[in-house]
Amino acid sequence: MSPYVLIILTFSLFIGTCLTLFSNHWFTAWMGLEINTLAIIPLMTAPNNPRATEAATKYFLTQATASMMMMFAIICNAWSTNQWTLFQLTDHWASILMTLALSIKLGLAPFHFWVPEVTQGIPLLTGMILLTWQKIAPTTILYQIAPCLNMKILIIFAILSAILGGWGGLNQTHLRKILAYSSIAHMGWMAIVVHINPTMTILNLTIYIMATITTFMTLNLSNITKIKSLGSLWNKSAPTTVIIFLTLLSLGGLPPLTGFMPKWLILQELIANGNFIVAMTMALTALLNLFFYMRIIYASSLTMFPSTNNSKMQWYHNSIQPTMLIPTATIISSMLLPLTPLFITI
């Protein structure tokens, strides 16, 4: 891809997200989401193979359906209330349609099927953008209009996402699909608390984005997409293996890593509001996520002594990709748990 085209697409992604972030009008918020969708599709099809084209087509059709439902909800609300501002979503049917549209945008279950398929068919760095940056704009709208949404539907979708996100990743061998199911589960954790304490949703999103970016950058540096390839990574680069080890455990929410913080605070909020069964269900689903992360860690660092490996493996080349961000992102995504009282105060 031409550098000029790449700059234009990256700038469009940035502009689309910022437009949604700072908009107070439904049309500009919807337009920002559309700019985001159209800007990432050329990045998906950059490898120019049938699999990438199929993934981009699935993504476009899914997002177009969600955008159509969102615009229909906006028009229904404007018809009944004569309001186009973001905080005036008072029509009942518009609220239900908007809840469904945002669920499709975020990949919440039962509308999650596109997330693993699209992530599997695109390059690692594009998958990183899809699972991190593309979540910011819909989550911002969810954060702003949470009191206006149908919370019964959203809570059901959030619990389903946490369960199916953990269940779906158990039998996977491709790392991109595992991270996609991890994204589905994390979206469920964000949606479950958005009505009680929206700040926890933003905190969870921030920590999830940092941990996911670290994981994708490390996998891209090592050129690894399958669990089987991780078995020989220890002999090639021990620090890379340790970084993958830490970030995956952090994504799983294992203390004393950073990923434990949002899960702990979300469970605390749920219990404080009397949602004991929901809190227990979410805590049990976190064990499913932790289990398939432990599978990856077992395959990458516990099945082989760090010595010369005589089995067949890919030839290792020294990477020329920049690695300056990986140590900083690793520290942020794994060592911020002692700062929990500061985040609670803020």
Side-chain angles (χ1 to χ4, degrees), residues 123-314:
L124 279 169
L125 291 181
T126 312
M128 179 183 73
I129 296 171
L130 176 68
L131 296 182
T132 55
W133 185 260
Q134 294 294 92
K135 303 292 184 184
I136 295 175
T139 308
T140 305
I141 296 178
L142 184 71
Y143 173 84
Q144 293 183 50
I145 66 168
C148 307
L149 295 176
N150 191 307
M151 289 313 299
K152 291 181 181 179
I153 296 176
L154 195 61
I155 288 172
I156 292 170
F157 286 176
I159 295 172
L160 276 176
S161 300
I163 294 171
L164 296 176
W167 197 270
L170 292 178
N171 200 30
Q172 301 298 328
T173 57
H174 289 79
L175 294 172
R176 281 175 292 189
K177 275 197 173 181
I178 288 174
L179 289 169
Y181 279 108
S182 165
S183 172
I184 295 165
H186 278 87
M187 289 302 118
W189 279 88
M190 294 175 209
I192 198 73
V193 78
V194 70
H195 188 66
I196 300 170
N197 190 347
T199 309
M200 290 299 151
T201 301
I202 301 300
L203 175 65
N204 195 357
L205 178 67
T206 306
I207 294 173
Y208 159 75
I209 285 176
M210 290 307 303
T212 306
I213 286 175
T214 310
T215 307
F216 269 103
M217 288 176 66
T218 312
L219 293 175
N220 185 62
L221 180 70
S222 310
N223 196 23
I224 288 175
T225 57
K226 295 181 181 179
I227 294 180
K228 185 176 68 173
S229 305
L230 283 172
S232 57
L233 183 60
W234 186 274
N235 291 337
K236 299 174 184 178
S237 176
T240 304
T241 309
V242 173
I243 289 172
I244 293 175
F245 183 90
L246 287 173
T247 51
L248 289 178
L249 284 181
S250 182
L251 278 171
L254 189 72
L257 301 173
T258 307
F260 176 66
M261 183 203 306
K263 290 183 170 57
W264 172 28
L265 296 176
I266 288 171
L267 290 176
Q268 191 175 356
E269 289 288 335
L270 290 173
I271 292 171
N273 284 271
N275 300 312
F276 301 105
I277 297 176
V278 175
M280 184 176 66
T281 306
M282 298 299 289
L284 290 174
T285 59
L287 296 177
L288 289 172
N289 284 276
L290 192 59
F291 177 77
F292 67 70
Y293 290 129
M294 288 301 297
R295 276 183 62 233
I296 303 173
I297 292 163
Y298 179 77
S300 62
S301 57
L302 300 177
T303 56
M304 180 184 299
F305 189 78
S307 60
T308 304
N309 186 8
N310 295 322
S311 63
K312 293 180 181 179
M313 64 175 71
Q314 297 174 351

Side-chain angles (χ1 to χ4, degrees), residues 23-43:
S23 63
N24 192 33
H25 194 279
W26 271 118
F27 184 72
T28 51
W30 179 83
M31 190 166 61
L33 292 172
E34 291 308 294
I35 293 172
N36 258 0
T37 301
L38 295 176
I40 198 175
I41 287 174
L43 295 175

Side-chain angles (χ1 to χ4, degrees), residues 42-54:
L43 295 175
M44 290 179 172
T45 56
N48 198 20
N49 57 53
R51 195 164 196 174
T53 306
E54 180 187 348

